[in-house]
Amino acid sequence: MAFVAHRGQLDRVGAEYIDHPGRVAERFDPAGEHVLVASAWLHDVLEDSTVTAQDLLDAGVQPEVVEIVRLLTRTAEVSDADYYARIARHPEALRVKLADIDDNTAPWRTRKLDREAQAQLAEKYRHAREALAGV
């Protein structure tokens, strides 16, 4: 589902977007952490494609995974504070979000961006880490 949802999408440096959820998923053990692996693969699908939570459920994605993906999905109706608070209260969503942040801030990725973009991302993710730790 992630490959279909992200087909043709590129990240900030022009690389295939699907590589990002793949790297996030690789941080978890597929044998013992299958819910985290699936959640990592799908963590941006609702936010960055036309796929809905119901589409995921209809495709057979476990409800637990869909719930984590919903928590990780930003919406205009939810403030940053509430977004991070709800993730922080859910241990599995928190682990996926922290893995997501780690990948998004990996030096090998950020150094490919211009200085202004690097500074903006650094501030964005500094705030995210503080918000996640402060709940």
Side-chain angles (χ1 to χ4, degrees), residues 13 51 110:
V13 297
V51 173
T110 58

Side-chain angles (χ1 to χ4, degrees), residues 5-6 9 44-52:
H6 295 302
Q9 293 179 353
D44 283 332
V45 165
L46 300 181
E47 190 172 319
D48 295 340
S49 78
T50 60
V51 173
T52 67

Side-chain angles (χ1 to χ4, degrees), residues 28-115:
F28 304 105
D29 175 19
E33 299 176 312
H34 64 277
V35 168
L36 294 174
V37 171
S39 299
W41 272 109
L42 297 169
H43 78 273
D44 283 332
V45 165
L46 300 181
E47 190 172 319
D48 295 340
S49 78
T50 60
V51 173
T52 67
Q54 189 60 52
D55 292 335
L56 295 176
L57 291 168
D58 291 347
V61 176
Q62 293 176 316
E64 181 179 6
V65 171
V66 175
E67 177 60 21
I68 293 168
V69 173
R70 280 182 176 160
L71 288 171
L72 296 170
T73 300
R74 288 183 177 275
T75 63
E77 300 81 37
V78 178
S79 70
D80 277 358
D82 288 342
Y83 171 73
Y84 291 121
R86 69 184 190 180
I87 291 171
R89 288 190 300 267
H90 193 288
E92 290 173 315
L94 177 60
R95 289 185 64 200
V96 174
K97 185 62 179 176
L98 291 174
D100 173 46
I101 291 170
D102 286 347
D103 187 66
N104 283 328
T105 59
W108 68 269
R109 288 186 75 192
T110 58
R111 73 173 157 250
K112 295 177 183 180
L113 301 171
D114 63 52
R115 294 218 185 266

